[in-house]
Amino acid sequence: ALCAGRRARQRRQPPVRHALRVPPVLKRSGWAALAVIIVAVLFAAAVSRSIYVHTLPSGLIEQLFGEDANEGPFAVRVLLRKFYSIIAFALIGFVVDRALPPTRRPALRAALIVAAFSAVIEIAQKVRHAPEGPLSNAIDIACGALGGWLAVTVSHRLQRRR
């Protein structure tokens, strides 16, 4: 009976975990470093006039949509820029969410952080004499919030399905 008791205790022990298991704090530190790099690169791109000019495929837009496509409040160029910004801000929202500890409302936190980052970009662009007005700035900040919220919402829903 003593031998059987030993076997039962041996079976109940938790399995040996892999030696390369990374603690959550170190994972967050890695995500934080990546977030800093991405934020710095995207900030530099957002305030650079030469990058701004090179990311607009003006010739392609005119070929696909005609010459009138870049006129008015819903110009293809403007809508394309807003789409770019939502994608870029989603990337920031994703890495920031991974870098920070869990919270009850991660999507709201990401939306607020990314919107604040977007506001900083708008201020930096204003200092560099960007031609955009207050409405455009507000829309850009809203795109930032949307991108941050979207990234975290999609990421967390995909994680729940696993």
Side-chain angles (χ1 to χ4, degrees):
L2 187 59
C3 189
R6 260 191 225 149
R7 282 189 208 143
R9 273 184 277 157
Q10 286 175 348
R11 278 186 258 141
R12 289 185 194 142
Q13 291 178 356
V16 177
R17 298 196 177 192
H18 196 276
L20 294 177
R21 185 174 169 90
V22 179
V25 171
L26 289 179
K27 285 182 185 177
R28 283 197 307 269
S29 297
W31 282 109
L34 182 61
V36 168
I37 292 167
I38 289 172
V39 164
V41 167
L42 291 178
F43 181 82
V47 297
S48 169
R49 182 75 180 147
S50 64
I51 291 176
Y52 181 89
V53 171
H54 291 320
T55 58
L56 268 181
S58 298
L60 179 62
I61 291 172
E62 285 181 19
Q63 283 183 337
L64 291 176
F65 301 102
E67 291 179 18
D68 297 337
N70 287 321
E71 296 176 8
F74 298 107
V76 173
R77 181 181 303 179
V78 172
L79 295 176
L80 189 58
R81 282 238 173 262
K82 301 311 175 199
F83 179 72
Y84 285 176
S85 72
I86 291 170
I87 299 300
F89 289 131
L91 177 62
I92 293 170
F94 178 78
V95 295
V96 164
D97 179 57
R98 296 289 179 169
L100 295 173
T103 183
R104 285 184 48 214
R105 294 184 170 172
L108 176 62
R109 175 181 65 185
L112 293 173
I113 290 170
V114 178
F117 174 66
S118 181
V120 169
I121 288 173
E122 295 304 317
I123 292 168
Q125 288 174 341
K126 211 36 120 177
V127 168
R128 292 174 158 256
H129 308 292
E132 296 176 340
L135 179 60
S136 179
N137 293 346
I139 291 171
D140 288 345
I141 293 169
C143 286
L146 175 63
W149 177 84
L150 220 105
V152 174
T153 300
V154 169
S155 170
H156 284 248
R157 287 206 177 141
L158 290 175
Q159 284 178 348
R160 282 188 208 136
R161 288 187 179 182
R162 290 184 196 165

